[in-house]
Amino acid sequence: MNIAVFDIGTNSIHMLVAKIQPGRTFKILEREKDTTRLGDGSFEERRLRKASMRRALSVIEQFHLMSKKYRIKKSIGVATSAVRDAKNGKLFIKEVYRRTGIRIRIISGDEEGRLIELAARSNMDVEGKKTLVVDIGGGSMELIAGDGKKHHFLESFPLGVARLTDHFLRKDPPSSKQMKRLEKYIEKTLEVPARKIRKYEVSLVIGTAGTLINLGSMAFESEYARPLKITHHHVLKNKQLEKLHGQIAPLSLREKLNFPGLDSKRADIILAGSILVRTLMRLLRIEEIILSKRGIREGIILDFIAKNRRSLSRRS
């Protein structure tokens, strides 16, 4: 059985096509991504802009057509922070359905976190370990602490890198005053949650999504002068991030575009990501984050398998 998953995020839109296999496993047949920036300019007005919606609808239609060659039996779609927070988010979802027939579910921050943790823990040696999963998107950040059976902490924060850049880092390059204001805002937002998570005494911190993956690639290439070929399970150390932050903080957008390992489509938001992650690591008193390329899309597949175990067994 082949299924298609559509993930409509603040910064990017993803499609993943997977074949459900016996034994509650799956095989990825195709991945597609477009840095659509659906949330551009939406944070102040809490409305998706018409131009952003047109871009997003075009990408979703394109991905939908691409998925058809796999004889999809089920399409599952979710929308996160940008659509969740926008006053016209539901109208956008209705238009997606009108054009493609795909029913997109606007999920809460907690549900987003649950699906992300499900994926992040799924292919790591975490049995019996207390883990913290950190997922940083364009509009929100999710922190999920638990042992796979019970959540000690699960919360979504309006600390996505596109949102933070729009609110705080408006100069090019950002001034030290702007960066300090952003750092103070993150500290104030996360002070109490960080205290709760520290008391839980996690033994492993897993980081997912594009911002953390890209920071890991940049830190590695800056230190070793060669590209990081495999980002999955790569370890980003606090001291590497501190060094990287010092290198990119004074750069203009044009100068950042030449920085080794940087995804050019993240050039304008990567500094907010660096400030967020280094502040989080300091508040949690952690020295490293292990990176995972699995995220919400894989979590949706695993959740689908778990909820449809009987019917899937009959098919196999």
Side-chain angles (χ1 to χ4, degrees), residues 89-255:
K90 289 182 179 179
L91 290 175
F92 172 74
I93 294 305
K94 286 180 180 178
E95 185 62 15
V96 172
Y97 179 72
R98 189 185 73 80
R99 295 192 185 196
T100 66
I102 302 169
R103 295 188 184 278
I104 303 295
R105 185 165 57 104
I106 302 175
I107 59 174
S108 68
D110 285 358
E111 174 66 359
E112 187 177 354
R114 183 186 73 83
L115 293 168
I116 289 163
E117 187 208 27
L118 188 62
R121 291 180 61 94
S122 66
N123 67 342
M124 288 197 181
D125 181 18
V126 294
E127 188 66 34
K129 292 180 181 177
K130 295 179 180 180
T131 64
L132 172 68
V133 178
V134 180
D135 181 86
I136 299 172
S140 65
M141 177 181 74
E142 283 67 44
L143 297 178
I144 314 101
D147 59 6
K149 296 177 183 178
K150 184 179 178 181
H151 289 129
H152 171 76
F153 185 92
L154 193 164
E155 195 166 338
S156 179
F157 301 90
L159 296 175
V161 289
R163 186 189 299 269
L164 295 178
T165 301
D166 279 3
H167 283 332
F168 293 94
L169 306 180
R170 295 181 174 178
K171 286 186 180 179
D172 182 27
S175 66
S176 57
K177 185 176 180 180
Q178 285 181 327
M179 289 187 279
K180 196 66 182 176
R181 280 184 61 235
L182 172 53
E183 188 177 324
K184 291 292 184 185
Y185 174 75
I186 296 167
E187 286 176 350
K188 184 178 179 180
T189 304
L190 296 179
E191 183 181 5
V192 174
R195 197 180 305 136
K196 292 178 182 178
I197 293 169
R198 285 200 308 268
K199 287 182 179 178
Y200 186 57
E201 296 182 341
V202 299
S203 57
L204 182 68
V205 182
I206 305 169
T208 71
T211 292
L212 270 163
I213 297 290
N214 201 197
L215 286 170
S217 297
M218 292 169 69
F220 181 90
E221 191 161 345
S222 176
E223 186 168 352
Y224 297 104
R226 67 177 190 274
L228 177 62
K229 292 183 178 179
I230 301 174
T231 53
H232 191 58
H233 288 191
H234 176 70
V235 175
L236 173 62
K237 296 184 181 296
N238 185 38
K239 62 181 181 180
Q240 293 174 320
L241 182 60
E242 288 294 332
K243 180 182 176 183
L244 175 65
H245 177 76
Q247 292 172 319
I248 65 174
L251 302 182
S252 67
L253 179 58
R254 180 175 291 183
E255 290 169 328

Side-chain angles (χ1 to χ4, degrees), residues 37 172 214 218 221 247-248 251-270:
R37 295 293 181 93
D172 182 27
N214 201 197
M218 292 169 69
E221 191 161 345
Q247 292 172 319
I248 65 174
L251 302 182
S252 67
L253 179 58
R254 180 175 291 183
E255 290 169 328
K256 285 192 192 82
L257 288 168
N258 295 316
F259 198 91
L262 174 64
D263 177 352
S264 61
K265 292 181 179 179
R266 294 185 180 276
D268 59 334
I269 57 177
I270 200 66

